[in-house]
Amino acid sequence: MGEAKRRKELELPPKASKQKKVSREERLFSWSPWPTKYQMSRYPYAPIVTMALGLIFLIWGFELNS
C-alpha cells in the first residue's frame, strides 16, 4: 500500500514539503536563485576555493597544449 493511500485511509493530512522557501531578503542578490546569505556565512571560502581550482585546471590545460 502506498504512503499517500495509507495517509488518506487514516485521515491524516498530506506530508508537508521539507524544502524551505527562501525569501528575497535572504538572498545575496534579489534576482539570483543562489546562494543565500546563510550559505555564504556557512561557507565563506567557497568562492575562493572554486576560483583557485578553476585556475589550477586552466593552467594545467594550457600546459597540456604546449
Side-chain angles (χ1 to χ4, degrees):
M1 180 181 307
E3 178 71 16
K5 190 174 183 181
R6 184 184 71 82
R7 293 183 75 83
K8 187 176 181 181
E9 288 177 358
L10 295 175
E11 298 179 6
L12 296 172
K15 281 189 171 180
S17 177
K18 291 184 180 181
Q19 289 184 341
K20 183 179 92 170
K21 278 285 200 180
V22 178
S23 67
R24 289 186 174 262
E25 290 81 30
E26 292 180 19
R27 299 192 190 281
L28 195 57
F29 301 109
S30 62
W31 48 266
S32 175
W34 51 271
T36 62
K37 290 179 184 176
Y38 171 73
Q39 289 170 327
M40 290 301 290
S41 64
R42 189 169 178 193
Y43 306 108
Y45 293 108
I48 297 166
V49 170
T50 305
M51 184 177 61
L53 287 172
L55 286 173
I56 289 170
F57 284 123
L58 188 67
I59 292 169
W60 183 58
F62 280 124
E63 285 180 3
L64 291 176
N65 287 336
S66 49

